């Protein structure tokens, strides 16, 4: 009971810190909101095992260092020092969000966390730095390209699902940074990516999955397995699922702004991400399964309903976009 009450307490003040950072127009209040989020999230991460304590310490050190660099850049800006304080400011926020090439700490932290805290760290806690970056005109294309490259290539040889989610977050952060100066677009992308990640994390918690090898040896029902792999394919951006729709919006915006090189990189690296998720799905469902292939005709109705819903959802949002 005490643990539940303390979690409610820290969650409440973490939300206050988030709203304080988002709604403030003063650098000191923004910094106070970021520190309040950090102080409230670290005790929630703490578990009973040694690895979680180590991850909490790593997360606290990285976030404290990034906040110190942020305040240093703000002081240089207020003192009118011509020392490239924009670059220092940019680096501090990239470290705080775990954007490539400052992503090493994310891979170490997620290995000792529960999936629900990974979901919070990869979605909600990135809101304040993204809001701060959206107000400042900075050159972000090197970070975008490195995030696309590292998130797609390094995720191909991973067996841990936590690291797969971390690399997927690094990859999707490049899409968010590419449209950061269009507030409604990156908010739209982050909202739907959080929804897809929530469905994926919820499935992993329900089925108690931690490694990709467990997909092969778990004897799920065919409906549960099909639902799980619909989430996997949506994470990879397979049309006509929701993960494809949000990437399509960003690609249309990049082409409209004449950013052809970064659009080509997005398409190419998205194919690598899609290859990984399709490979996992194909190997698990079609090759390694304890169910007889003769029983697959029992899911024809469920499959048809899910496919129709996904198609209708895609058409609905495409028509909705035409009226925006």
């Amino acid at each position: 009971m005490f643990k539940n009450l303390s979690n409610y307490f820290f969650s409440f003040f973490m939300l206050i810190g988030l709203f304080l950072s988002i709604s403030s127009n003063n650098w000191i209040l923004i910094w106070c909101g970021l520190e309040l989020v950090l102080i409230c999230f670290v005790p929630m991460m703490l578990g009973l095992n040694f690895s979680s304590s180590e991850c909490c310490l790593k997360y606290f050190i990285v976030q404290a260092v990034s906040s110190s660099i942020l305040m240093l850049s703000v002081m240089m800006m207020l003192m009118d020092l011509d020392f490239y304080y924009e670059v220092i400011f940019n680096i501090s926020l990239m470290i705080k969000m775990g954007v490539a090439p400052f992503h090493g700490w994310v891979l170490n932290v997620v290995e000792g966390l529960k999936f629900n805290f990974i979901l919070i760290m990869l979605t909600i806690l990135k809101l304040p730095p993204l809001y701060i970056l959206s107000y400042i005109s900075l050159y972000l294309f090197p970070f975008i390209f490195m995030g696309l490259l590292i998130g797609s290539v390094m995720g191909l040889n991973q067996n841990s699902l936590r690291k797969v989610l971390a690399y997927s977050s690094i990859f999707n952060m490049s899409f968010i940074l590419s449209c950061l100066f269009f507030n409604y677009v990156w908010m739209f992308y982050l909202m739907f990516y959080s929804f897809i990640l929530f469905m994926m994390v919820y499935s992993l918690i329900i089925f108690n999955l931690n490694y990709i090898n467990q997909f092969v040896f778990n004897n799920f029902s065919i409906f549960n397995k099909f639902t799980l792999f619909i989430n996997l394919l949506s994470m990879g951006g397979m049309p006509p699922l929701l993960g494809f729709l949000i990437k399509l919006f960003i690609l249309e915006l990049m082409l409209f702004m004449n950013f052809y090189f970064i659009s080509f990189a997005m398409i190419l690296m998205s194919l690598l991400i899609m290859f990984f998720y399709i490979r996992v799905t194909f190997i698990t469902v079609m090759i390694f399964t304890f169910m007889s292939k003769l029983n697959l005709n029992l899911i024809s109705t469920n499959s048809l309903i899910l496919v129709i819903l996904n198609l209708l959802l895609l058409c609905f949002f495409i028509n909705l976009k035409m009226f925006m």
Side-chain angles (χ1 to χ4, degrees):
M1 185 66 183
F2 176 75
K3 183 178 180 181
N4 293 333
L5 291 176
S6 62
N7 284 336
Y8 291 143
F9 174 82
F10 289 128
S11 300
F12 176 73
F13 280 96
M14 186 177 71
L15 290 177
I16 291 179
L18 285 172
F19 287 117
L20 182 63
S21 299
I22 292 172
S23 59
S24 298
N25 59 357
N26 186 293
W27 286 114
I28 300 299
L29 291 179
I30 291 174
W31 174 76
C32 291
L34 292 174
E35 295 303 309
L36 183 59
V37 171
L38 172 62
I39 292 172
C40 293
F41 185 64
V42 169
M44 295 170 61
M45 296 168 57
L46 189 61
L48 298 178
N49 53 356
F50 176 76
S51 60
S52 65
S53 303
E54 183 181 358
C55 293
C56 290
L57 183 60
K58 291 179 181 178
Y59 182 80
F60 176 78
I61 292 175
V62 171
Q63 295 296 318
V65 169
S66 63
S67 297
S68 301
I69 298 174
L70 176 65
M71 290 306 299
L72 175 63
S73 62
V74 170
M75 292 172 60
M76 293 170 62
M77 178 178 61
L78 296 177
M79 295 172 64
D80 292 329
L81 296 179
D82 190 11
F83 194 66
Y84 299 102
Y85 61 84
E86 298 94 344
V87 178
I88 301 175
F89 185 88
N90 200 2
I91 289 175
S92 66
L93 293 178
M94 295 301 162
I95 294 174
K96 186 172 287 291
M97 292 187 294
V99 177
F102 309 105
H103 65 283
W105 67 269
V106 180
L107 305 175
N108 293 325
V109 169
V110 296
E111 278 299 311
L113 293 182
K114 296 180 180 179
F115 280 112
N116 50 356
F117 297 122
I118 293 176
L119 175 65
I120 295 174
M121 189 180 73
L122 298 182
T123 55
I124 299 176
L125 296 188
K126 293 185 178 181
L127 268 176
L130 287 173
Y131 264 99
I132 297 172
L133 279 176
S134 65
Y135 296 145
I136 300 173
S137 178
L138 295 173
Y139 188 71
L140 301 175
F141 282 103
F143 299 103
I144 294 172
F145 183 76
M146 284 187 287
L148 291 172
L149 182 64
I150 293 174
S152 58
V153 175
M154 298 301 293
L156 291 175
N157 60 348
Q158 298 297 325
N159 187 39
S160 173
L161 290 173
R162 287 176 169 83
K163 286 189 176 180
V164 169
L165 294 180
Y167 279 116
S168 177
S169 175
I170 294 169
F171 177 80
N172 284 277
M173 279 301 299
S174 297
F175 279 80
I176 295 176
L177 292 177
S178 63
C179 60
L180 197 61
F181 306 119
F182 302 91
N183 286 334
Y184 70 94
V185 179
W186 74 262
M187 293 178 190
F188 174 84
Y189 190 98
L190 183 62
M191 179 180 65
F192 278 93
Y193 171 70
S194 302
F195 177 70
I196 297 170
L197 187 61
F198 169 76
M199 291 192 298
M200 188 68 216
V201 168
Y202 181 76
S203 300
L204 296 179
I205 293 175
I206 291 297
F207 300 128
N208 194 20
L209 296 173
N210 295 298
Y211 298 95
I212 295 177
N213 296 337
Q214 293 177 304
F215 285 97
V216 178
F217 300 108
N218 275 290
N219 191 15
F220 301 134
S221 67
I222 193 64
F223 180 76
N224 292 334
K225 187 174 287 190
F226 186 77
T227 304
L228 180 63
F229 296 129
I230 285 292
N231 292 333
L232 278 172
L233 294 178
S234 184
M235 286 283 294
M238 171 66 71
L241 302 177
L242 195 58
F244 167 76
L245 177 67
I246 56 178
K247 290 182 174 63
L248 180 63
F249 282 0
I250 304 301
L251 287 174
E252 288 183 356
L253 180 62
M254 292 295 103
L255 293 174
F256 179 76
M257 300 296 293
N258 297 324
F259 295 142
Y260 298 112
F261 177 75
I262 198 67
S263 301
F264 176 76
M266 285 179 176
I267 295 172
L268 185 62
M269 301 309 170
S270 296
L271 290 177
L272 291 178
I273 291 289
M274 193 182 302
F275 166 75
F276 166 73
Y277 285 108
I278 291 176
R279 183 183 63 182
V280 175
T281 305
F282 179 77
I283 292 175
T284 309
V285 176
M286 301 303 296
I287 300 177
F288 297 103
T289 181
F290 295 107
M291 179 180 292
S292 174
K293 303 301 185 293
L294 297 176
N295 294 330
L296 291 179
N297 59 351
L298 299 177
I299 65 160
S300 58
T301 304
N302 296 327
S303 302
L304 182 62
I305 292 174
L306 289 176
V307 169
I308 290 175
L309 286 176
N310 280 303
L311 287 173
L312 291 178
L313 188 64
L314 179 65
C315 297
F316 172 76
F317 278 108
I318 289 177
N319 292 325
L320 181 64
K321 184 174 69 67
M322 295 175 61
F323 295 102
M324 292 178 63

